[in-house]
Amino acid sequence: MASKHAALAVPATAALPHSLRLPATSARVVATISRVPRPSLIDLVLGWLDDENQARCGPYLVTGEDEDEADDSVYPAARSLDQLRQLYEGLPRTRGSKREVAERILEGDWRHGVTLYQLAMADMRYLTDRPGALKWAAMKLEPLQADGEARNDMPADPDDTAGIPRFHAPTFLQNLQREVAPVVKAHYYLMRTASPPVTFLRVYIHDSPYSNYVGTRGDTRPSGSKTVYVAFPDGAPHVYVSIVAAPGQVVGGEGRSLRKVVLEALAKALSRPQSRFCLRPTALVTKSLSALLAMRGAGRGNGAHGGWSIFADGSVDGSPLDERPPETSKRTYEDDDDKENEGADAADPLAKRRKALTAGRFGSDGVASTDKKALERVVITLEDAFPRLPHSSSTAEDDEPWKPSIRLTFSGAHVIAGIRALADAGLVDAARMPGWMTGEAAVSAGVVRDGRVVRGSGSGLA
């Protein structure tokens, strides 16, 4: 006999609510909770137990109707919020593992499910504890012309914010939801951090436009393609977009399509009538948010890298256009490591000259202890013509220069610092090396012609 109350799926355009609970046994929930460090996990739970968060993070408590029922769980349910607060406040003073705390959350106090709001808080807490967990691609906001092409009339001064759309969180989320809702259902979570001064947006994408939440039930495996992280730096015409959600996760064709929908919606949500914007790749991908803020942020160092960095960070007084030597300097731009090796340099004048030359080419960049512009991977494609040998015979067929396809890949914890160390050791000629090797171009992928980076290549989002 058919049930009188059949399930009915109704199309809806609203965002997934914060209070929607996912099963505590879901692989997504278990993976997200289990990767948060123990101290952060305890602090996170205490935030969930705050009175203001009970509508979105309420735990499982024993009520009057359940008091007579036997609780055979390893972690018996508490009777009040105060009891739970005292329990978790005492955990930092006891010895235990992160797994024990996670099991207590999933099998005991939140056995009835974890809300999307809690999952987003745990996810963002992990990212703030481990800033290098994600790769970020820097995208530039550019105004659109009537024909849909990007204009190049953005302010030339990096400190000029006249061409940047104003970011108002409630209005932006409302516009973003309106653009995304017809295609996918999603959950949105905004978080503000003081250091670095960035507003983070986490978008959990659900690929069904219906409100039956089939995809949020069951033991589905976590997928990085369904979570997009976006960072909005203060006062800068750039947006940082995550590439994958976690190391080792593979983003398929469906995931790329869903992410493309969100990226297109971001620019539309930041636009307003008579002022439309688009997102353009800037060929800069890195795990370091501090590097993105230094090279694609609101500071004065956006256009001053390599040897020019000393004028941006205040190392010397005066202007780079002034041919006269500066009368005073706030500090020398030779790195601190040189001071430790003054004795060795005195015995080797050639090494001292190399270090002085390297300091002039790199400025304050490339010093591993102080430089925040860490790039883990730099890929350069050379399009220069191969030089002709002297006294070589040439024919009509040889009129076209030979341009071999050469791609150079530099990898490491800090590529520019590594190249600077090679120059200090004399393995790279600091006097003849091209400017892009000192980090002047500020890209992680680019095409070099005539010794200069003529254009960046790739967005890093594929």
Side-chain angles (χ1 to χ4, degrees):
M1 184 177 178
S3 174
K4 295 182 179 179
H5 303 283
L8 179 63
V10 180
T13 58
L16 296 177
H18 288 319
S19 57
L20 174 64
R21 292 189 182 272
L22 305 184
T25 56
S26 170
R28 178 182 297 276
V29 174
V30 174
T32 302
I33 298 296
S34 300
R35 68 179 184 172
V36 181
R38 186 175 186 269
S40 298
L41 191 57
I42 295 173
D43 184 63
L44 195 64
V45 173
L46 291 175
W48 294 347
L49 295 175
D50 193 270
D51 292 333
E52 297 180 355
N53 291 329
Q54 290 313 296
R56 295 170 289 189
C57 310
Y60 179 82
L61 300 175
V62 176
T63 60
E65 300 176 356
D66 301 331
E67 289 183 354
D68 297 334
E69 298 181 5
D71 191 352
D72 298 331
S73 174
V74 179
Y75 304 100
R79 297 180 180 274
S80 65
L81 287 176
D82 291 336
Q83 182 181 354
L84 273 182
R85 291 192 187 105
Q86 293 177 5
L87 189 150
Y88 281 97
E89 287 173 355
L91 285 180
R93 297 188 294 270
T94 62
R95 300 182 62 182
S97 63
K98 175 181 66 175
R99 180 179 179 181
E100 181 182 352
V101 179
E103 288 179 350
R104 178 172 190 90
I105 293 172
L106 300 176
E107 299 179 13
D109 302 323
W110 276 272
R111 67 187 74 178
H112 60 320
V114 176
T115 64
L116 289 177
Y117 188 78
Q118 292 175 277
L119 201 65
M121 289 181 66
D123 204 4
M124 295 306 301
R125 184 59 180 264
Y126 172 77
L127 295 182
T128 53
D129 288 345
R130 286 173 170 75
L134 284 178
K135 274 190 175 181
W136 301 88
M139 312 284 287
K140 185 177 181 181
L141 276 168
E142 289 190 344
L144 283 175
Q145 294 178 350
D147 56 0
E149 296 293 331
R151 296 204 314 259
N152 294 321
D153 57 353
M154 289 291 285
D157 186 0
D159 295 332
D160 188 358
T161 61
I164 305 174
R166 181 181 178 184
F167 182 81
H168 184 253
T171 304
F172 167 74
L173 279 182
Q174 183 179 2
N175 295 339
L176 181 63
Q177 179 185 335
R178 185 174 60 251
E179 297 293 337
V180 174
V183 184
V184 297
K185 294 197 67 69
H187 175 258
Y188 308 92
Y189 178 78
L190 273 173
M191 186 185 73
R192 171 72 182 175
T193 59
S195 180
V198 173
T199 300
F200 290 95
L201 169 66
R202 177 187 181 269
V203 183
Y204 163 67
I205 306 170
H206 181 48
D207 55 358
S208 172
Y210 301 96
S211 57
N212 53 4
Y213 308 130
V214 173
T216 58
R217 295 200 296 264
D219 261 352
T220 56
R221 205 171 271 278
S223 172
S225 64
K226 292 189 176 182
T227 307
V228 180
Y229 306 88
V230 185
F232 299 91
D234 291 352
H238 292 91
V239 175
Y240 314 145
V241 183
S242 66
I243 297 179
V244 294
Q249 289 183 342
V250 179
V251 180
E254 179 187 4
R256 290 190 181 96
S257 299
L258 295 175
R259 294 166 64 81
K260 184 179 179 180
V261 169
V262 175
L263 290 180
E264 292 177 351
L266 283 175
K268 295 178 181 178
L270 290 170
S271 301
R272 58 184 184 272
Q274 308 302 322
S275 180
R276 301 295 179 181
F277 290 86
C278 67
L279 288 175
R280 181 179 62 83
T282 63
L284 180 62
V285 176
T286 180
K287 292 182 179 180
S288 173
L289 278 175
S290 60
L292 290 173
L293 289 170
M295 292 186 280
R296 299 290 189 273
R300 59 186 296 185
N302 280 344
H305 307 285
W308 306 100
S309 58
I310 59 175
F311 298 98
D313 62 15
S315 299
V316 296
D317 294 326
S319 167
L321 302 179
D322 191 353
E323 297 181 356
R324 298 171 300 176
E327 298 179 0
T328 60
S329 65
K330 297 179 180 178
R331 62 176 175 87
T332 177
Y333 51 80
E334 295 182 359
D335 57 74
D336 296 335
D337 295 335
D338 293 343
K339 298 179 181 180
E340 299 176 1
N341 301 324
E342 285 181 355
D345 292 345
D348 188 357
L350 184 60
K352 185 176 182 180
R353 181 181 179 277
R354 283 199 308 264
K355 289 183 178 294
L357 184 59
T358 302
R361 291 301 307 274
F362 286 85
S364 56
D365 288 355
V367 181
S369 58
T370 58
D371 186 20
K372 297 181 179 180
K373 305 174 185 177
L375 298 179
E376 304 85 16
R377 181 182 173 89
V378 177
V379 180
I380 297 296
T381 302
L382 299 179
E383 291 188 352
D384 287 336
F386 197 83
R388 294 183 183 274
L389 296 177
H391 308 293
S392 61
S393 60
S394 60
T395 63
E397 298 179 355
D398 298 331
D399 290 342
E400 291 294 331
W402 180 47
K403 294 183 178 181
S405 178
I406 301 176
R407 174 173 292 184
L408 304 177
T409 301
F410 303 87
S411 300
H414 196 321
V415 169
I416 302 302
I419 295 177
R420 178 167 183 161
L422 292 175
D424 281 338
L427 301 178
V428 176
D429 190 346
R432 300 181 61 186
M433 65 190 303
W436 58 265
M437 292 186 68
T438 67
E440 286 184 9
V443 295
S444 60
V447 176
V448 172
R449 192 179 300 132
D450 296 331
R452 295 185 177 184
V453 175
V454 293
R455 69 178 186 273
S457 63
S459 62
L461 296 176

